[in-house]
Every structure is written in C-alpha cells, then in structure tokens.
C-alpha cells in the first residue's frame, strides 16, 4: 500500500476522541477526517458544556454550521446531517476536570470501550491568560486527557498539540526533544508543577477572601502567570503552561504511545478544504488588519527576521501523519511544524505583500471611504522608533494639552474636560430641556 492507503486504512472503522473540536485546528481536523475517510466509525467531540443538549447546540452552531464544512455539505447533499450524526457524537465535559468532566457514566463507559485514538487540541492560547485558568487547561488538562486514554481498552496513540514556542527564544535549529519534569529555560532549579498549581489556587483564595473585584482578580492572576513564566525563562503564560503540560505527559505516559506536535504561528488554510479559511482573527492577522485600516503605519523589528508561519491545513496533515506513524510504538515522539527551514519568509517580504494587497484591494471604512495605505516603516532600532513615535504622537498630544490649559485659563469656549460636569444638573436642566425643545 502507498502512504495514502495506509492513512485511510488506519482511520477506517476508527473511534477517535477529540478535545478542542470547536476551535480552529479542531474544526479543521474533524472536517479533514470526515472528508478523506467517510468510513471512520466515531468522532467523540468533547465540548465544554453543562449538558448534552448544550453540547449539541454548540456543535451545530460552532462546527457544523461553519463555512468550513461547505465541501462536505455539497458532497452529501440532503444526507449531510445524517452522515455527520452517524459519526459525530458531542460529549459534554471539561478537560480541566478528572475524567474530562463527563457526567454521563454510560457515555464514558462507551468511550473507554470504543476509543483507540485520543487527539488533544484544547488550549487557552491567550499569552497573558489568568494563571489558574491556563494551568487548569494547558497543564492539568493535558494530564487529564492522558489519564482518560489510560482507561481505554485499547489506546493506540495519544496525540497532543502544543506550540513550538515552549522552546523559548533560541537561534538556529531547535531540537525536537521532550522536557524533563522541573526543567527550565534559564536553568533555575526550583520549578515544581504542584507548587505552581497550589500558588495559583492560594492566590485566588486570598483575593476572594479580601473581596477583590472581578477586574482586580483578573489583573492579579494575569500578572501572576506572567511573573512565574518569566521567572523560569518563558516569555508568557501560554507557552509556560503548555511546557508544563508536556512535562506531565512525558512523566505519566507509562506504556501509552504519545506524539506531541509543536506548530509555529498558524495561519489560514493553504489548500484544504479550500484556500484562505480562518476562524476569527489570529496572532499575526491583527497587524495586517491594522495596516489595512490605516492604523498601523510603522513597527519595530528586524526586517531580515524570519517569521515562522504554517497554514492550518498543513498542521492537521502533520497531526494525522504523526498519529499513523506512532500508533502502538510505546514511545514519545515530538514534531516541530513550521516553515523557517523549508521555506522561510521574512518581515520585509510580508511588508511588501501587505502593501501590494491593500493597494490593489483597499479597505473600505465604515463611512464608505476607501482607506489608502502607504508603505509601512520598519524601524530596526529602538531609539529611532521612539523618536518617530514622539514626533508623530507624543509631542502633538502634549501641545494639545498645553493649548487646552491656556484656553481653560481664560475661557470655556473649547473645554473638553468632563470633570467639571455636575451630572444631576446636566440631565435635569440641560440635556432634558434640549430633548424637550427637539420634541416640540
């Protein structure tokens, strides 16, 4: 058999548990499997929900109803939903809890009996997420998925999706090697995962005992995550907690076959199921959109720096290949998925592409006017970037404030400071009387 036949045979009659199925990669993975191997037996989709009805509704709204499935819909016509629901089973649960938070005992027993492949795509990807939340999903969630797989009658492979940036900031070729429990990027010897979880929980309890506001609690837990990550050499909470998750998987895998996929910056689909599909605004997209809208006119960076981008469909293809290659190997394999070695693209190229695209396909503002873009400026040195920002934004703002103070000292003609407003007097005697005049 050729490679394609081997993959299709592997997926045939297979029952797969998928976490994170409502996310970007999750939807792509589900669509790909159903499209290339319609004889797959079951796809158990763990969906964060209070009950099965809510899980089903999320499945319909966020997965099946998505444009991504239009090719499958065309292939199966009126039998589209029947085809899907013969194979897709939404399961209400939460990977932050033991047994994946599945309350339906019959469903859980069925899954332990049927599932042979587990694919963990669930993650909190916010760089500065609340520490307790990121630990519960990215770290403990990874272990909970592994523990669930251990209870399955025949677990052939656990496929865990991490991120290439668990490796931190390194030059040259980065090795595909696992983390040891307690290993840090800066050599600090004090990392203890249990202590990190306890610290997050204790900090949260202290905040709530002091009756901190929701906003204060949110800020404090975000700052805690960033502080702990940087203490051990990681740049943010996301990559730190994903690294901790990898450690727990490696330390607890026992005789389970494990493959860990570490993609770089994931972008829209290259070809499948059609080019250019993306689910919401992702990482690098913010810069492109800001530039197209005329908001981003410059940025700081090395114009020769390589941006390691990889389309989502290529990541999914790697996931499937890794599943097949590592099933029943009783080992732990790690794959870095990126483009910087095979086909690098630098910031200067992206700048040229962005300018060319928005020059030929300009953004239309809410006012209906065309947004004309200039070629963005790339500053390679911090001092030149600050100088530009100071001249273009800071000094004009200071001048405006100075003018406001001068005007305010002699007259109220251009007052724009709302501090002077007496709101009761305003609504009772000013705003209301104005409305009455308009009415009559």
């Amino acid at each position: 058999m050729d490679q394609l036949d081997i993959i299709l045979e592997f997926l045939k009659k297979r029952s797969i548990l998928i976490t994170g199925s409502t996310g970007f990669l999750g939807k792509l993975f589900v669509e790909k499997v159903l499209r290339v191997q319609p004889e797959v037996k079951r796809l158990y989709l763990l969906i964060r929900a209070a009950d099965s009805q809510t899980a089903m509704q999320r499945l319909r709204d966020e997965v099946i109803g998505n444009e991504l499935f239009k090719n499958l819909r065309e292939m199966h016509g009126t039998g589209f939903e029947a085809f899907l629901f013969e194979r897709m089973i939404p399961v209400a649960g939460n990977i932050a809890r033991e047994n994946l938070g599945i309350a339906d005992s019959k469903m859980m027993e069925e899954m332990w009996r049927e599932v042979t492949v587990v694919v963990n795509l669930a993650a909190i990807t916010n760089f500065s997420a609340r520490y307790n939340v990121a630990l519960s999903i990215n770290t403990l969630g990874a272990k909970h998925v592994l523990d669930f797989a251990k209870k399955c009658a025949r677990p052939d492979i656990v496929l865990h999706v991490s991120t290439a940036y668990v490796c931190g900031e390194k030059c040259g070729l980065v090795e595909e090697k696992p983390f040891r429990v307690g290993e840090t990027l800066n050599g600090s010897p004090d990392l203890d995962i249990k202590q990190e979880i306890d610290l997050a929980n204790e900090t949260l309890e202290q905040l709530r005992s002091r009756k901190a506001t929701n906003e204060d609690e949110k800020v404090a837990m975000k700052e805690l995550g960033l502080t702990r990550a940087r203490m051990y050499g990681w740049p943010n909470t996301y990559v730190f907690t994903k690294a901790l998750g990898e450690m727990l998987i490696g330390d607890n895998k026992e005789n389970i076959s494990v493959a860990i996929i570490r993609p770089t910056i994931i972008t829209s689909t290259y070809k499948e199921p059609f080019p250019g599909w993306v689910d919401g605004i992702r990482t690098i997209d913010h810069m492109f959109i800001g530039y197209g809208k005329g908001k981003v006119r410059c940025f700081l960076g090395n114009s020769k720096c390589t941006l390691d981008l990889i389309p989502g469909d290529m990541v999914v293809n790697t996931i499937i290949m890794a599943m097949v290659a590592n099933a029943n190997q009783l080992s732990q394999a790690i794959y870095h998925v990126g483009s910087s070695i095979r086909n690098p693209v630098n910031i200067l190229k992206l700048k040229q592409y962005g300018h060319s695209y928005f020059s030929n396909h300009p953004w239309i503002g809410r006012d209906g006017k065309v947004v004309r873009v200039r070629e963005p400026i790339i500053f390679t040195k911090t001092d030149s970037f600050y100088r530009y920002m100071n001249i273009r934004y800071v000094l004009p703002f200071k001048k405006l404030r100075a003018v406001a103070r001068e005007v305010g000292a002699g007259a109220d003609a251009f007052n724009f400071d709302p501090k002077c407003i007496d709101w009761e007097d305003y609504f009772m005697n000013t705003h209301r009387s104005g409305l009455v005049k308009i009415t009559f």
Side-chain angles (χ1 to χ4, degrees), residues 319-366:
I319 290 171
I320 295 173
M321 293 285 285
M323 277 168 34
V324 178
N326 293 280
N328 298 309
Q329 296 301 305
L330 305 184
S331 59
Q332 178 174 318
I334 293 177
Y335 299 91
H336 290 173
V337 188
S339 61
S340 58
I341 299 297
R342 297 281 295 168
N343 188 16
V345 59
N346 60 37
I347 290 176
L348 188 60
K349 287 289 185 184
L350 288 182
K351 166 191 165 183
Q352 293 169 356
Y353 302 153
H355 181 252
S356 175
Y357 180 84
F358 285 111
S359 295
N360 294 316
H361 308 88
W363 193 281
I364 307 299
R366 292 183 179 179

Side-chain angles (χ1 to χ4, degrees), residues 170-241:
K170 295 181 180 178
C171 295
L173 194 64
V174 181
E175 292 183 70
E176 296 170 323
K177 64 177 186 178
F179 282 103
R180 290 176 286 101
V181 170
E183 181 181 347
T184 62
L185 293 184
N186 59 10
S188 172
D190 304 321
L191 176 58
D192 184 298
I193 297 175
K194 185 179 183 305
Q195 288 180 7
E196 293 302 311
I197 293 167
D198 289 344
L199 175 64
N201 292 334
E202 288 166 9
T203 303
L204 190 61
E205 287 177 12
Q206 290 170 8
L207 287 165
R208 289 176 178 174
S209 67
R210 296 202 305 263
K211 293 183 168 42
T213 64
N214 289 337
E215 185 59 29
D216 287 344
E217 179 184 302
K218 177 182 176 182
V219 170
M221 294 309 294
K222 283 188 171 187
E223 289 179 351
L224 178 63
L226 290 170
T227 299
R228 301 304 290 184
R230 290 164 184 167
M231 180 182 296
Y232 298 114
W234 279 273
N236 57 62
T237 309
Y238 165 55
V239 296
F240 177 45
T241 53

Side-chain angles (χ1 to χ4, degrees), residues 167-429:
C167 300
E169 299 173 8
K170 295 181 180 178
C171 295
L173 194 64
V174 181
E175 292 183 70
E176 296 170 323
K177 64 177 186 178
F179 282 103
R180 290 176 286 101
V181 170
E183 181 181 347
T184 62
L185 293 184
N186 59 10
S188 172
D190 304 321
L191 176 58
D192 184 298
I193 297 175
K194 185 179 183 305
Q195 288 180 7
E196 293 302 311
I197 293 167
D198 289 344
L199 175 64
N201 292 334
E202 288 166 9
T203 303
L204 190 61
E205 287 177 12
Q206 290 170 8
L207 287 165
R208 289 176 178 174
S209 67
R210 296 202 305 263
K211 293 183 168 42
T213 64
N214 289 337
E215 185 59 29
D216 287 344
E217 179 184 302
K218 177 182 176 182
V219 170
M221 294 309 294
K222 283 188 171 187
E223 289 179 351
L224 178 63
L226 290 170
T227 299
R228 301 304 290 184
R230 290 164 184 167
M231 180 182 296
Y232 298 114
W234 279 273
N236 57 62
T237 309
Y238 165 55
V239 296
F240 177 45
T241 53
K242 290 296 282 186
L244 297 183
E246 285 194 26
M247 292 178 197
L248 288 181
I249 288 175
D251 194 50
N252 293 277
K253 67 175 288 301
E254 297 176 359
N255 62 345
I256 298 287
S257 300
V258 170
I260 295 176
I261 305 297
R262 293 176 179 167
T264 55
I265 301 171
I266 305 175
T267 57
S268 64
T269 56
Y270 178 63
K271 282 188 176 180
E272 296 183 72
F274 49 87
W277 181 81
V278 66
D279 197 24
I281 299 175
R282 305 185 61 78
T283 51
I284 200 169
D285 302 330
H286 292 278
M287 182 177 72
F288 283 115
I289 291 173
Y291 172 66
K293 288 182 175 182
K295 305 294 184 184
V296 176
R297 299 177 181 177
C298 68
F299 55 91
L300 179 65
N302 182 349
S303 60
K304 296 180 181 178
C305 178
T306 297
L307 280 178
D308 206 319
L309 311 175
I310 188 73
D313 51 338
M314 292 188 176
V315 177
V316 166
N317 290 342
T318 306
I319 290 171
I320 295 173
M321 293 285 285
M323 277 168 34
V324 178
N326 293 280
N328 298 309
Q329 296 301 305
L330 305 184
S331 59
Q332 178 174 318
I334 293 177
Y335 299 91
H336 290 173
V337 188
S339 61
S340 58
I341 299 297
R342 297 281 295 168
N343 188 16
V345 59
N346 60 37
I347 290 176
L348 188 60
K349 287 289 185 184
L350 288 182
K351 166 191 165 183
Q352 293 169 356
Y353 302 153
H355 181 252
S356 175
Y357 180 84
F358 285 111
S359 295
N360 294 316
H361 308 88
W363 193 281
I364 307 299
R366 292 183 179 179
D367 57 2
K369 294 181 179 178
V370 173
V371 177
R372 300 294 180 190
V373 295
R374 296 180 180 178
E375 194 158 328
I377 305 169
I378 301 177
F379 291 99
T380 57
K381 294 183 179 179
T382 307
D383 56 351
S384 59
F385 174 71
Y386 284 152
R387 203 160 42 242
Y388 174 86
M389 296 297 286
N390 196 48
I391 293 170
R392 186 167 184 87
Y393 298 106
V394 178
L395 291 179
F397 180 69
K398 285 182 177 178
K399 187 175 181 180
L400 177 63
R401 280 173 49 179
V403 170
R405 280 196 295 268
E406 290 174 11
V407 171
D412 291 329
F414 298 96
N415 182 26
F416 52 78
D417 184 0
K419 190 175 173 113
C420 65
I421 300 174
D422 179 331
W423 289 113
E424 181 179 3
D425 179 72
Y426 171 75
F427 279 106
M428 295 301 294
N429 302 311

